[in-house]
Amino acid sequence: MTPNRSPGRAFLSNDTLITGRPDFATAVLAPIHAIVGDRGLITDPGTMQPFMESWRDGWVGRSPAVVLPDSTEALAAVVRICAETRTPIVPQGGNTGLTGASQPHADGSEIVISTNRLNRIREIDIDNDTMTVEAGCILANIQNAARDIGRLFPMSLAAEGSCQIGGNIATNAGGVQVVRYGNMRNLVAGLEVVLPDGRIWDGLRGLRKDNAGYDMKQIFIGSEGTLGIVTAAVLKLSPLPRATATALVAVSAPSDAVDLLTRAKGVAGDRIITFELIQRDCIDVARRHVPDVPDPLRDRYPWYVLVELADQDGGNRLMEMLEGILEAGMEAGEVLDGVVAASKAQADSLWRIREGIPEGQKREGVSFKHDVSVPISRVARFLDRANAALERECPGIRPFAFGHLGDGNIHFNPIQAEGGDPAEWKAKLATVNAIVHDIVVDLGGSISAEHGIGRLRIDEMPRYKSPVELDMMATLKRAFDPHNIMNPGKILRA
């Protein structure tokens, strides 16, 4: 598509004040408007504001424009204009990220390109168990479309009602079913990507085997929009489980939860789709701030595990398997108490506990959020070391941990002391981060398991990545984006 260079419409003179470029309206906005039309270009500050702010943690930026192309070709034409004029771009999907990767910076130098209007399901191939979708498709809509044909798209996370698949791919999203199905990297067969120079790479191949050179799609998965903009994807589907069995059990310590997980793997194998570890404090916070969060058991216990099995066989066999695992766990002293859901409504009630934790924590006060992973065998050691180190450094800090024990990903989010001054606790952020992340890396873990780096962790990368690895990443960035226009200042400093 060749952009029409006619002015199209008048743009506000304050564009110059935002960008510092007196030719911005004529050189950038007018040709973009000629491509995307009135529906595809927002310059009104009030209308743009939802695109400028993150839903959590206060990331706020400024931009002279939000662009919403309705096709890959239109998006590519917009990117070509940005490449020609050296205009930085911030790709944005559902804006549900947690690291500031999809917000522009405060200097107003970047335009936001939103994939909201790229929301079509292009093809469903039942025999190949694949679905080709555009980047702006809402995750829940993809799940429903798969379910309608008797298939499962297993990516599942709290923001699935509003997050977009392009953002899930760009951040290599995880979620609650990674233990069986893997993270986003495992669920993508092919990609379509607009590169920083405006070229379109068509890699929409629904193949399980393709050994013809480098696996280019994997370069873009998890790149957080710094190497290109994902515009479509071929997703892998799985058989839709015919039965699930869900339970919430109490354990005395994370080490017992790890032992129970090992036991469950030996019996249920890949029927385990969820194995979530929950600290009692997390349930208390969720119940304090979120409606309809139940207290699952009559007595209080220090730790809980939410476990779910799924299978193609009937429900009775699966339920018997789960009950057998838990009974053996009780005999071995791993399980203290528990409840097995007897209906979908009861299972939903147990899930309400897990789903209410992030919302409850958001309302509780200052928290120090860490999306970390360590080998499963070292989860208990990590929690013991991190909690002890933080109590020594920050007396009164409240432990708060939950997450995906089945794949070693723990959301370790300690909360300020009750009654403490929020400003004083916010000032401790760098100290707390260093303590936690030093322990994580010492145990062979990662400072970002599923949320990405974005702006939140960018300054910590040199501390925890080797110079060789950082140089490889920087070389890749320069090769794809030599002018650093694609989501600059995210993952890597320029």
Side-chain angles (χ1 to χ4, degrees), residues 363-411:
R363 302 178 184 180
E364 181 70 10
V366 175
S367 60
F368 305 91
K369 301 176 184 67
H370 306 92
D371 165 46
V372 299
S373 63
V374 295
I376 296 170
S377 57
R378 300 173 188 172
V379 166
R381 204 182 323 167
F382 160 68
L383 290 168
D384 287 342
R385 285 181 57 182
N387 282 324
L390 288 184
E391 178 57 33
R392 287 193 299 269
E393 182 67 28
C394 306
I397 195 168
R398 288 178 282 167
F400 195 93
F402 64 100
H404 320 303
L405 181 62
D407 53 60
N409 174 195
I410 300 299
H411 300 297

Side-chain angles (χ1 to χ4, degrees), residues 470-490:
L470 287 172
D471 184 61
M472 289 192 296
M473 294 171 67
T475 299
L476 191 64
K477 171 69 171 172
R478 287 193 298 270
F480 277 89
D481 186 17
H483 301 298
N484 194 30
I485 69 166
M486 194 63 70
N487 219 11
K490 315 293 174 60

Side-chain angles (χ1 to χ4, degrees), residues 67 96 133 211 215 218 313 315 317 381 395 424 427 445 461 470:
V67 184
T96 61
V133 303
N211 209 17
D215 190 353
Q218 295 296 346
D313 292 337
R317 181 174 179 271
R381 204 182 323 167
E424 291 181 5
M461 291 285 275
L470 287 172

Side-chain angles (χ1 to χ4, degrees), residues 45-376:
T47 309
M48 285 195 294
Q49 198 57 35
F51 298 88
M52 303 296 108
E53 301 177 355
S54 63
W55 78 276
R56 195 184 80 175
D57 295 340
W59 297 104
V60 181
R62 298 174 70 220
S63 175
V66 175
V67 184
L68 301 96
D70 64 354
S71 70
T72 297
E73 293 73 21
L75 193 152
V78 170
V79 172
R80 283 196 292 274
I81 291 170
C82 293
E84 292 168 5
T85 59
R86 302 291 190 266
T87 302
I89 296 165
V90 178
Q92 189 178 105
N95 200 16
T96 61
L98 299 171
T99 65
S102 58
Q103 279 73 51
H105 290 85
D107 63 3
S109 64
E110 305 152 317
I111 67 166
V112 173
I113 296 184
S114 168
T115 55
N116 281 359
R117 298 174 70 197
L118 296 174
N119 55 14
R120 291 170 284 268
I121 295 177
R122 294 185 184 176
E123 181 187 23
I124 297 176
D125 188 338
I126 295 179
D127 292 333
N128 196 45
D129 279 328
T130 55
M131 179 188 299
T132 303
V133 303
E134 293 183 341
C137 286
I138 301 297
L139 175 56
N141 294 342
I142 294 171
Q143 295 168 341
N144 292 336
R147 194 174 295 110
D148 288 344
I149 59 167
R151 298 293 188 271
L152 172 73
F153 183 65
M155 177 59 59
S156 180
L157 41 83
E160 61 195 27
S162 56
C163 67
Q164 296 176 7
I165 196 67
N168 299 148
I169 292 167
T171 57
N172 188 30
V176 296
Q177 299 192 103
V178 170
V179 63
R180 175 170 179 175
Y181 297 103
N183 55 18
M184 200 71 234
R185 196 175 294 281
N186 303 98
L187 302 177
V188 175
L191 289 179
E192 176 185 84
V193 180
V194 172
L195 302 177
D197 60 6
R199 289 181 296 164
I200 300 171
W201 172 55
D202 183 358
L204 293 174
R205 295 182 284 272
L207 301 174
R208 266 67 176 182
K209 289 185 175 181
D210 182 359
N211 209 17
Y214 303 131
D215 190 353
M216 298 304 297
K217 68 179 181 293
Q218 295 296 346
I219 292 173
F220 297 100
I221 300 172
S223 68
E224 301 184 44
T226 62
L227 303 179
I229 303 177
V230 173
T231 52
V234 181
L235 306 175
K236 300 176 185 177
L237 306 180
S238 295
L240 186 67
R242 294 179 54 204
T244 59
T246 308
L248 189 139
V249 300
V251 296
S252 62
S255 56
D256 291 323
V258 173
D259 291 342
L260 182 64
L261 173 60
T262 301
R263 179 183 304 280
K265 286 178 180 177
V267 176
D270 66 1
R271 296 178 185 86
I272 304 170
I273 61 172
T274 297
F275 205 95
E276 298 284 296
L277 180 67
I278 304 172
Q279 192 170 11
R280 175 68 212 194
D281 304 77
C282 302
I283 297 177
D284 291 339
V285 167
R287 283 174 51 78
R288 187 151 53 240
H289 298 290
V290 182
D292 302 323
V293 172
D295 202 343
L297 303 172
R298 182 176 57 186
D299 296 322
R300 294 171 59 88
Y301 298 93
W303 293 90
Y304 299 80
V305 170
L306 177 64
V307 57
E308 188 161 271
L309 310 184
D311 203 353
Q312 305 309 113
D313 292 337
N316 290 339
R317 181 174 179 271
L318 198 65
M319 187 68 74
E320 291 169 1
M321 181 181 294
L322 178 58
E323 290 174 346
I325 292 169
L326 300 183
E327 288 171 3
M330 293 191 83
E331 292 175 3
E334 298 156 1
V335 176
L336 303 176
D337 195 359
V339 57
V340 177
S343 65
K344 184 180 184 303
Q346 290 182 10
D348 290 345
S349 179
L350 296 179
W351 271 105
R352 180 67 176 159
I353 299 170
R354 172 62 178 84
E355 292 163 354
I357 291 171
E359 181 62 27
Q361 178 190 332
K362 183 179 178 181
R363 302 178 184 180
E364 181 70 10
V366 175
S367 60
F368 305 91
K369 301 176 184 67
H370 306 92
D371 165 46
V372 299
S373 63
V374 295
I376 296 170

